[in-house]
């Protein structure tokens, strides 16, 4: 259900969204979760597949942008240098990045026997946020099996909120996690899609803006004071034929959506953005030195910037509205936005 049609009457932006209003409205993109929810353990893994084929041998053009670099994401250096994504994108908590990266490497080796045999290495991409407030993060509860479970769970109609890597996350002092949205734009008489997926764990309650309205004007509830020490990971996907440079320009516009929800990107907050297009592929092996590739004219890119801003704004709100109140480590409880709205 999109924000524009929910029972609270919130509407974000003016562009139409896809049938699911999720990043999976971009054909071929799927998302899966493995959620750990047991007392002090409130964490998990989320996986995003760029397309249903062999991503290593059929890479997608990609780019990244670091808004604020307080984070431990892996794989960005090669994305920025080569402009391609060659593995699924995985999300987890900060201290589980190593475990998840190893599992992703094993997954890629299982599917690609040529890696480090007859061809080069692989660039695993793993993103993180710190869920230590609700989760016993020091317990290192995420295992390789959880990664494989998330990858096996990938589907178009995936869950949002306090699921997968989002289980222990807090957004604007409320329960956050996984959120997603999509927007459609028309180019040369054809409809294309831009989608966003966020792992929200950032910002403070007093700054939260819901569809243009400061949340404090809607709620009588008060949230204990807290610092902006969290992070948010944003992934953008599209089926529009773009270059790596143009994808990076889309990454820059994610900040507009974050700002519209009240984020100021604090010193201890990590804001990382990754974007890819399924329309332009880079084969791992090629028979010719020159490859044909379509590209958008820069004069036509403005609607895409608006779509990114709307997608990211709605994805943050969707992560809040789909979440549930969670009690975790040391008995800490983080309440969800819907519970407060219904009071």
């Amino acid at each position: 259900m999109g924000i524009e049609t929910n029972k609270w009457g919130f509407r974000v932006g003016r562009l139409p969204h896809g049938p699911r209003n999720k990043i999976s409205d971009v054909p071929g993109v799927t998302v899966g979760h493995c959620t750990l929810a047991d007392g002090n353990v409130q964490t998990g893994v989320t996986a995003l597949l760029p397309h249903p084929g062999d991503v290593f041998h059929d890479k997608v053009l990609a780019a990244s942008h670091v808004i604020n670099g307080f984070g431990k994401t892996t794989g960005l250096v090669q994305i920025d240098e080569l402009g391609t994504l060659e593995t699924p994108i995985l999300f987890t908590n900060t201290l589980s990045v190593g475990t998840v990266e190893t599992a992703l490497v094993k997954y890629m080796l299982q599917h690609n026997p040529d890696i480090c045999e007859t061809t080069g290495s692989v660039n695993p991409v793993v993103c993180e946020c710190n869920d230590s407030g609700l989760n016993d993060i020091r317990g290192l509860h995420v295992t390789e099996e959880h990664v494989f479970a998330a990858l096996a769970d990938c589907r178009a109609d995936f869950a949002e909120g306090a699921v997968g890597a989002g289980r222990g996350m807090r957004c604007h002092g409320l329960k956050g996690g996984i959120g997603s949205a999509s927007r459609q734009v028309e180019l040369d008489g054809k409809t294309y899609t831009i989608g966003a997926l966020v792992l929200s764990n950032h910002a403070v309650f007093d700054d939260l803006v819901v569809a243009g309205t400061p949340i404090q004007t809607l709620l009588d509830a008060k949230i204990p004071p807290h610092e902006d020490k969290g992070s948010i990971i944003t992934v953008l996907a599209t089926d529009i034929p773009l270059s790596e440079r143009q994808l990076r320009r889309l990454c820059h516009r994610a900040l507009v959506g974050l700002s519209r929800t009240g984020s100021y990107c604090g010193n201890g907050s990590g804001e990382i953005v990754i974007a890819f297009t399924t329309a332009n592929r880079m084969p791992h092996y090629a028979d010719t030195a020159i490859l044909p590739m379509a590209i958008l004219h820069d004069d036509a890119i403005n609607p895409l910037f608006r779509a990114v801003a709307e997608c990211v704004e709605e994805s943050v709100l969707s992560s809040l509205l789909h979440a549930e109140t969670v009690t975790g480590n040391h008995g800490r409880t983080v309440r969800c936005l819907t519970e407060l709205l219904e009071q």
Side-chain angles (χ1 to χ4, degrees), residues 12-63:
V12 175
R14 63 191 190 206
L15 293 176
H17 60 67
R20 299 184 188 89
N21 200 12
K22 297 179 180 180
I23 196 171
S24 52
D25 287 329
V26 178
V29 176
T30 54
V31 175
H33 307 293
C34 180
T35 305
L36 284 65
D38 184 11
N40 292 337
V41 181
Q42 303 290 333
T43 191
V45 179
T46 293
L48 184 152
L49 298 182
H51 64 71
D54 181 348
V55 183
F56 182 74
H57 290 106
D58 193 18
K59 311 177 199 300
V60 294
L61 291 197

Side-chain angles (χ1 to χ4, degrees), residues 70-294:
F70 205 96
K72 290 81 182 170
T73 298
T74 70
L76 298 188
V77 172
Q78 184 167 310
I79 287 178
D80 289 342
E81 181 67 24
L82 301 184
T84 57
L85 173 69
E86 62 184 17
T87 73
I89 301 173
L90 295 184
F91 310 78
T92 191
N93 70 64
T94 305
L95 298 189
S96 295
V97 169
T99 298
V100 172
E101 183 179 35
T102 298
L104 179 54
V105 168
K106 290 182 178 180
Y107 173 86
M108 296 303 296
L109 294 178
Q110 290 170 2
H111 289 79
N112 301 278
D114 53 342
I115 292 176
C116 287
E117 284 287 347
T118 57
T119 192
S121 184
V122 65
N123 182 48
V125 178
V126 181
C127 307
E128 58 76 32
C129 290
N130 189 337
D131 60 13
S132 59
L134 280 173
N135 176 48
D136 172 29
I137 194 171
R138 290 173 59 90
L140 303 178
H141 299 285
V142 171
T143 68
E144 293 181 9
E145 287 70 26
H146 298 137
V147 177
F148 299 136
L151 287 162
D153 183 59
C154 285
R155 64 191 70 184
D157 191 18
F158 59 90
E160 299 177 72
V163 293
R167 180 63 189 177
M169 302 302 171
R170 183 174 67 176
C171 178
H172 283 275
L174 303 168
K175 191 66 197 72
I178 298 294
S180 192
S182 69
R183 290 295 184 271
Q184 294 178 329
V185 296
E186 186 173 305
L187 299 166
D188 295 335
K190 181 179 178 181
T191 299
Y192 293 90
T193 302
I194 293 178
L197 179 85
V198 302
L199 176 62
S200 67
N201 190 53
H202 69 301
V204 297
F205 176 76
D206 290 349
D207 295 331
L208 177 60
V209 176
V210 177
T213 302
I215 197 66
Q216 287 182 317
T217 66
L218 299 178
L219 303 177
D220 294 327
K222 298 296 181 183
I223 300 298
H226 56 98
E227 295 183 70
D228 186 0
K229 286 187 174 181
S231 299
I232 182 167
I233 303 296
T234 302
V235 174
L236 305 172
T238 186
D239 57 353
I240 303 170
L242 302 175
S243 69
E244 313 93 298
R245 174 185 60 80
Q246 291 171 325
L247 287 165
R248 186 170 295 108
R249 296 188 73 194
L250 294 193
C251 287
H252 292 170
R253 271 62 186 187
L255 180 58
V256 179
L258 296 179
S259 298
R260 287 176 61 85
T261 61
S263 173
Y264 288 89
C265 303
N267 174 64
S269 182
E271 282 80 20
I272 311 295
V273 189
I274 299 171
F276 65 87
T277 173
T278 60
N280 282 335
R281 308 286 182 89
M282 183 65 67
H284 188 75
Y285 302 110
D287 296 328
T288 60
I290 305 299
L291 300 174
M293 195 167 292

